[in-house]
Amino acid sequence: MNNIKAIFVDIDNTIFDHLKKHKYDERSIKALNNLYDKGVKIIICSARPIYSLREFGVLNRIKYSGVIASNGAVRVYNNEWFDKYVFPKKELKEIVDVCKKHKLCIELVTFDDRFYVTQKTKEVDYHHKIFFEIDAKFEQYNFQEVISMLLFADRSVDPILNKEMPKTIHMFRFSEYGLDVLSKSHSKGEAVISMLNKMGINKEEALAFGDDYQDISMFEQVGTGVALGNAKDELKNIAQFVTKPVYHHGVYKFIKKAKLLR
């Protein structure tokens, strides 16, 4: 495993522990930063938008060469945008109309901002107790370029959403009160391919750390996928390795065991 030139790393429950300690895994961050200093490309690969990674402190803690944000909708390398996805206006209106009809709160995410376009509900507060976020503001949609959306709703409305939402989108439920609303045309895996091409690095020279369903496509596009001990079984089943959970410094433990920091 001495040929690893790039590491793609998820954040929530991979580097930040929402499960037990509710804090960053500083030991794993230090190991990643040491690898960066030795010339390994560190790519932050998250469902979070850029604004959220910035507000959450990720971009100030981890030394990185690139960022894949909003589950692949945005790609940044050497602090320059090189690819992005924007929701079509017609599709966007259909999504918001469904949310207004059923009194659901939805947050629209642009490249440098986020805002609610429907009234805030109790599910927003429930969600923010689990995932630490700064509350967004409410404003009217004014034809901004939207790259992703966050829908706040419990599981009781899933049948309604599956029936009424546009078939051109993908909804991923990542918590009891939160769903990522994404285009079917992008994913972490597809973004990993474009990032590797941008860097001139082969798939076999790339490694990824993750814990959730969205990371499946990421693992499929790297030579080595490492699932955290707290990861979903579906991800563990396709991973080459399973390390300790985030609250037991899983990323650090694997880096040490694999002797990546010689």
Side-chain angles (χ1 to χ4, degrees), residues 123-137:
E123 284 76 17
V124 177
D125 294 327
Y126 295 157
H127 174 81
H128 285 172
K129 288 179 180 178
I130 302 171
F131 294 92
F132 304 101
E133 294 276 10
I134 298 173
D135 210 9
K137 58 185 178 296

Side-chain angles (χ1 to χ4, degrees), residues 155-193:
R155 294 182 184 274
S156 67
V157 301
D158 286 358
I160 295 172
L161 298 175
N162 291 332
K163 180 179 179 181
E164 298 186 20
M165 283 291 193
K167 304 307 178 187
T168 52
I169 67 166
H170 172 66
M171 291 178 295
F172 172 75
R173 177 172 286 284
F174 62 91
S175 76
E176 289 301 311
Y177 304 103
L179 298 95
D180 283 326
V181 181
L182 308 163
S183 166
K184 288 184 177 179
S185 66
H186 72 264
S187 67
K188 281 189 176 184
E190 192 268 337
V192 167
I193 294 173

Side-chain angles (χ1 to χ4, degrees), residues 20 33 42 78 89 112 115 119 126 129 134 139 161 168 199 230 239 248 253:
K20 291 190 175 183
N33 287 345
I42 304 298
N78 285 341
K89 299 294 191 295
D112 55 9
F115 51 93
Q119 292 299 321
Y126 295 157
K129 288 179 180 178
I134 298 173
E139 66 179 63
L161 298 175
T168 52
M199 297 186 297
N230 50 276
H248 288 154
K253 293 287 180 62

